[in-house]
């Protein structure tokens, strides 16, 4: 069957994203655009055509990586749950991700990407903006849920989302690296629930 231009474009885009993820996890800040393109079976010109630049490819890689992660969260955290229940469900979901057979390679990729951003002043704010956009998805998921007789405001939800992400990323890294391998789901859930306080939420 003949491949359409749109299908070929998407196939090349997918190949470059997969190749970039592998190379970044392997080489970190030494990742070379030429090697990424070669692994994808394409030229560097394809990168510029599809993503504009190496940094454009890396930002697309973040979105490609985080998107399914937050899709999974939205499927796990039912809209019927109140705030406490939603936070605990979110934390349990995060803990289960640590048991994924590919969890260590995921962590390697995340750390390598951060290393790249720290070394590239142009990439750093773009990476931060991409991560923030996904954090805002979590905030939107929490906003409006009932807590102590009132609905969580968007401002409070954003503050809580920031704290939750920081806590659970840190705990997850500890589990994956073997520093906190005894931390079960209820430990994650209890730690996350402990953030639902006036000091963290702030004013409405």
């Amino acid at each position: 069957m003949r491949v359409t231009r749109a299908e070929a474009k998407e196939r090349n885009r997918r190949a470059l994203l997969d190749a970039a993820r592998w190379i970044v996890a392997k080489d970190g800040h030494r990742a070379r655009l030429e090697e990424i393109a070669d692994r994808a079976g394409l030229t560097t010109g394809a990168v510029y055509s599809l993503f504009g630049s190496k940094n454009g490819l890396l930002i697309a890689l973040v979105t490609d990586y985080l998107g399914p992660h937050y899709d999974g969260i939205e499927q796990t955290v039912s809209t019927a749950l109140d705030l406490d229940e939603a936070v605990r469900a979110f934390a349990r979901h995060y803990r289960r991700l640590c048991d994924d057979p590919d969890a260590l390679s995921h962590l390697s990729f995340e750390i390598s990407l951060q290393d790249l951003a720290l070394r590239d002043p142009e990439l750093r704010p773009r990476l931060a903006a991409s991560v923030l956009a996904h954090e805002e998805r979590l905030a939107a998921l929490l906003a409006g849920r009932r807590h102590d007789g009132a609905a969580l405001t968007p401002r409070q939800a954003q503050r809580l989302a920031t704290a939750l992400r920081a806590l659970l990323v840190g705990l997850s890294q500890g589990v994956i690296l073997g520093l906190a391998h005894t931390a079960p789901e209820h430990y994650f859930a209890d730690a996350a629930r402990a953030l639902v306080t006036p000091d963290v939420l702030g004013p409405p």
Side-chain angles (χ1 to χ4, degrees):
M1 188 173 67
R2 186 176 181 180
V3 177
T4 68
R5 187 172 182 177
E7 289 171 336
K9 182 177 179 179
E10 179 55 30
R11 183 182 60 193
N12 291 345
R13 181 180 179 278
R14 182 74 261 159
L16 285 167
L17 287 170
D18 291 343
R21 183 166 175 177
W22 194 88
I23 297 295
V24 167
K26 179 175 71 76
D27 295 339
H29 70 274
R30 294 183 299 276
R32 296 172 57 247
L33 191 59
E34 293 78 8
E35 190 173 356
I36 293 172
D38 184 63
R39 183 174 177 83
L42 299 165
T43 66
T44 55
V47 176
Y48 291 104
S49 174
L50 291 167
F51 299 100
S53 65
K54 178 182 176 181
N55 281 350
L57 170 59
L58 294 176
I59 293 303
L61 189 60
V62 174
T63 299
D64 185 70
Y65 176 72
L66 289 179
H69 172 69
Y70 280 90
D71 289 343
I73 291 169
E74 290 173 353
Q75 293 170 10
T76 300
V77 183
S78 166
T79 56
L81 302 178
D82 67 17
L83 182 63
D84 286 0
E85 294 168 333
V87 166
R88 294 178 70 85
F90 170 53
R92 288 179 180 277
H93 174 76
Y94 230 101
R95 175 60 182 86
R96 287 192 291 272
L97 293 176
C98 299
D99 296 327
D100 187 308
D102 294 323
L104 190 58
S105 64
H106 292 330
L107 178 58
S108 175
F109 166 71
E110 291 169 7
I111 292 173
S112 296
L113 197 57
Q114 291 170 9
D115 181 45
L116 272 166
L118 288 172
R119 296 169 183 271
D120 187 333
E122 179 188 346
L123 178 61
R124 195 180 311 138
R126 296 181 66 188
L127 175 62
S130 182
V131 172
L132 180 59
H134 285 88
E135 187 177 287
E136 287 171 351
R137 287 182 64 181
L138 174 58
L141 187 65
L142 298 174
R145 294 182 188 266
R146 305 297 296 180
H147 175 66
D148 285 347
L152 197 71
T153 67
R155 179 182 179 185
Q156 291 174 318
Q158 185 64 61
R159 287 170 59 91
L160 179 58
T162 299
L164 283 171
R165 189 180 64 81
L167 171 70
L168 295 174
V169 166
L171 287 176
S172 296
Q173 289 182 359
V175 171
I176 294 168
L177 294 173
L179 304 174
H181 58 277
T182 59
E185 284 186 27
H186 72 78
Y187 178 85
F188 271 55
D190 291 345
R193 169 60 186 82
L195 291 176
V196 185
T197 67
D199 286 340
V200 173
L201 300 180

